[in-house]
Amino acid sequence: MPTAPFPAPRAAAASSGPTVAIDIGGTKIAGALVHPDGTMTATTRRPTPRGVDADGVMAAVAEVVAELSESPLWSAAVRCGIGSAGPVDASRGTVSPVNIGAWREFPVQERVVAELAAHGADLPTVLAGDGVAMTAAEHWLGAARGHANALCMVVSTGVGGGLILNNQLHPGPTGNAGHIGHISVAFDGEPCVCGSRGCVESIASGTAIARWALDQGWSPSDTGSAGAGAGGGGGGGDATAAGVAAAATAGDPIALAAFDRAGRALAAAIAATATLVETDIAVIGGGVAAAGDTLFAPIRHHLAAYATLSFVKDIQVVPAVLGTHAGLIGAAAAATMLLPSSSS
């Protein structure tokens, strides 16, 4: 048997067939067959429907499954992983994505299992939140590869994450362990949408960065550029985190302060997590991370003041590397890591 360029995720089933991967987000629903070496075939996607009911959104998922089933490798599939925007409840197989209003406690896992069966594939299936899926992906093929204990984060319109502990994905009972965005880092901070106060997400998300900068008197101008942050468009008048990042690069003091504030919040949360479970690397992806050193420099600067104990002071903070592929690769990796290791 030829040697795969990458080992399969730990706890891989004995069967070496592909994993059906489905990635559900607010803008797209994607699918692929992900193979044990991390390659993908039969990749397909649909725009996430707008202005439809729950079944209308599910219809797009069903189309993705139907298209995957046309692959000649479909019959060799051994499992299915679903990665979805959250909140998720993996214990019940339900999702209530903030950016898919038609789905509230929607039984996506049950519905996907039924679609798989309708196309002749009776497969064990796992549901994971997008932060957990990204974590599984980065540990398998990305920036956390080779690290037994890792925190991975998605910093975008929200802030999510996941944990690798002792080389195992640790999603927790409902699939929400590692949700670092709702660690409180500001005792008297502003209320968060979750109902708590001073959460990382309320300070460091792309939405929060842009809102704070605007509140401090920053005005978007022609310094905006595409791809620098969550929701990033380009050109003049960009009032998103992309525009703030571009202004920070140009030296705008308010924009720099907005990213310094976000970096401090992230550093405090990373240090707290590392102190609690002894992670030795923090991998950060998502739209805001595309700002590069504008975000990472203040994180690393403030981390020195928070991660002071001997067992956390050397924690690395690095950018994620898998980008848009993390959703599908992560859905497959999560399924491979979480399902029992056994022959089918």
Side-chain angles (χ1 to χ4, degrees):
M1 178 180 292
T3 301
F6 296 103
R10 289 177 67 93
S15 176
S16 59
T19 299
V20 177
I22 299 172
D23 178 24
I24 300 171
T27 59
K28 74 175 188 313
I29 296 167
L33 298 181
V34 181
H35 300 271
D37 64 355
T39 58
M40 295 190 294
T41 57
T43 306
T44 183
R45 61 185 289 170
R46 299 285 188 281
T48 303
R50 298 291 181 188
V52 298
D53 62 9
D55 286 337
V57 178
M58 184 61 209
V61 179
E63 289 177 6
V64 166
V65 173
E67 187 165 337
L68 292 177
S69 73
E70 296 173 2
S71 166
L73 298 174
W74 176 255
S75 61
V78 295
R79 66 184 75 83
C80 175
I82 308 164
S84 176
V88 306
D89 185 341
S91 66
R92 299 172 58 221
T94 61
V95 297
S96 303
V98 171
N99 48 11
I100 304 178
W103 278 6
R104 290 295 172 265
E105 298 187 5
F106 184 76
V108 67
Q109 183 169 334
E110 176 185 322
R111 295 290 295 272
V112 167
V113 167
E115 291 297 328
L116 294 169
H119 293 279
D122 183 14
L123 300 178
T125 300
V126 161
L127 169 65
D130 51 6
V132 171
M134 175 265 196
T135 299
E138 290 290 335
H139 182 253
W140 179 20
L141 299 177
R145 186 167 179 244
H147 291 264
N149 301 286
L151 165 68
C152 297
M153 305 170 61
V154 179
V155 184
S156 187
T157 51
V159 177
L163 290 167
I164 297 289
L165 301 178
N166 296 323
N167 275 317
Q168 300 293 329
L169 187 63
H170 182 73
T174 67
N176 291 288
H179 203 335
I180 193 170
H182 296 289
I183 289 178
S184 179
V185 293
F187 184 72
D188 294 318
E190 64 184 80
C192 178
V193 293
C194 76
S196 186
R197 183 177 291 275
C199 291
V200 175
E201 184 171 299
S202 70
I203 300 171
S205 70
T207 306
I209 290 170
R211 182 178 63 244
W212 188 86
L214 290 165
D215 287 347
Q216 299 303 307
W218 173 75
S219 296
S221 66
D222 289 337
T223 57
S225 63
D238 185 356
T240 70
V244 181
T249 300
D252 183 279
I254 295 176
L256 285 165
F259 271 89
D260 184 76
R261 180 173 179 265
R264 185 179 181 184
L266 291 166
I270 290 167
T273 303
T275 302
L276 186 66
V277 296
E278 291 199 57
T279 53
D280 59 11
I281 189 170
V283 178
I284 304 178
V288 176
D293 280 348
T294 299
L295 177 69
F296 283 90
I299 293 174
R300 292 171 179 140
H301 169 74
H302 288 293
L303 194 59
Y306 287 107
T308 57
L309 293 169
S310 60
F311 61 94
V312 295
K313 65 183 180 65
D314 293 325
I315 187 171
Q316 300 176 55
V317 178
V318 300
V321 299
L322 294 177
T324 57
H325 297 299
L328 287 169
I329 292 173
T336 305
M337 295 175 82
L338 296 175
L339 288 168
S341 177
S342 61
S343 301
S344 48

